Amino acid sequence: MLGNMATAEKDQNKSARLYAQALELMPGGVNSPVRAFRGVGGTPLFIKSASGATLTDADGRTFIDYVASWGPMILGHADAEIVAGISAVAARGTSFGAPNELEVELAEEIVAAVPSIEMVRMVNSGTEATMSAIRLARGVTGRDKLVKFEGCYHGHADSLLVKAGSGVATLGLPDSPGVPAAVAQHTLTVPFNDAAALEELFKQPPDIAAIIIEPVVGNMGCVPPRQGFLEFTRDITTRHGALLIFDEVMTGFRVARGGAQDLYGISPDITCLGKIIGGGLPVGAYGGSRALMRNIAPTGPIYQAGTLSGNPLAMTAGLLTLRRLKDETIYRKLETRSARLCDGLAKAAAAAGITTTTNRVGSMWTSFFNDQPVTNWATANTSDREMYGRFFHAMLDEGVYLAPSQFEAGFVSIAHTEELIDQTIEAARKAFRTLRKGAGE
Ligand SMILES: *Cc1c(COP(=O)(O)O)cnc(C)c1O
């Protein structure tokens, strides 16, 4: 079936029609901005169905998918066990607004897997998780300031939508109209992987409540922490009475079962989760020590609530996913296949005379059109976006669906067989060759 993709008739009518309709009904025709293909040009594909490692669009074309709904689909799409599980649970009611057994079971799985979490609160998205984690950090420290890193994304809460300033920022500027300057000024930004900048920031009066960090960045493309950098964030927060928040919404159960904190052996105070723990349904969570988490209502004064939080549908999808991920061979397989993919892509680029820099941790990766190491936002931002856009479309033509932006991570799932990976590499060989032609060589 996949073999026919390149030759399948390219009737984009249905996607194009839906997009035109959507543009009248939703801002940009989408419910989340990056989906609109602004980062690569062209018009988005409307997806009709997904199965395993593939997506099928409204016009019946099938693609090998490396977006994985931006991370959650580590088992592949429409996994039979999860589909059966949520169908059975749905028949018994989709939300009770009262406690249920599945919440306890998922909490148990998370606490057992993530080293620093003793107690957890479920929410409905990663955005809610980070927003609530920050409230908790501010609430317990009695401080207002927050440190984040340029290019890290932590959802769209006001405090976190702050522009990457140059050098050591003193006052944050809002990234988006509608974020009051009075809120943004409490968010300080420094370059990722820059211990000296962090040290400088902490020389101010002790008003920093927390550092929030993607321990392996996925949201400027994949950027791993330098050796010792996460240790440094742990050390400096401890020294200054601030909390360390690991935003593991993407890395949790992705780079290792216990997340980046397990992989690198660092214990944050608060951990944010999402994506994989919802198994493809809307979920987020935040957790930490019992002492810390008991500050949350109703045991403590810090308020946070949710009508659909802990609903049986999302809990079931998450629970079945996390149970499957107990099989240790899964992470080894993901590692082998992701390495095969990234090596293949790099070689295919080199063979076409194109320089790329590939960053990868486990099954999350990014190939940057960049001849320099990519270690932070400033270096990521020197990547050739225009070239990425052309590569993206050339890959689409070959039946491979990559993230529609240079600054996103790609994901390999257990449904990506070696065969599909080799097919992807073959597609890339052709795509890179068309780039050279496009460059007039
Ligand atoms: C996806 C993501 C979020 C936001 O999660 P949503 O469910 O989209 O609100 C936050 N932090 C990180 C690191 C993410 O990758």
Side-chain angles (χ1 to χ4, degrees), residues 374-393:
V374 175
T375 58
N376 56 23
W377 171 245
T379 47
N381 196 29
T382 63
S383 304
D384 190 339
R385 301 165 198 231
E386 191 267 336
M387 185 83 127
Y388 182 82
R390 289 199 286 130
F391 180 63
F392 168 86
H393 283 288

Side-chain angles (χ1 to χ4, degrees), residues 353-417:
I354 291 165
T355 314
T356 56
T357 292
T358 305
N359 287 348
R360 181 180 70 83
V361 177
S363 55
M364 60 187 270
W365 99 95
T366 302
S367 301
F368 293 95
F369 283 87
N370 202 317
D371 54 10
Q372 301 293 317
V374 175
T375 58
N376 56 23
W377 171 245
T379 47
N381 196 29
T382 63
S383 304
D384 190 339
R385 301 165 198 231
E386 191 267 336
M387 185 83 127
Y388 182 82
R390 289 199 286 130
F391 180 63
F392 168 86
H393 283 288
M395 287 296 271
L396 261 195
D397 287 344
E398 296 296 331
V400 178
Y401 190 86
L402 298 174
S405 163
Q406 169 75 96
F407 305 114
E408 300 287 352
F411 301 99
V412 172
S413 78
I414 58 165
H416 289 81
T417 58

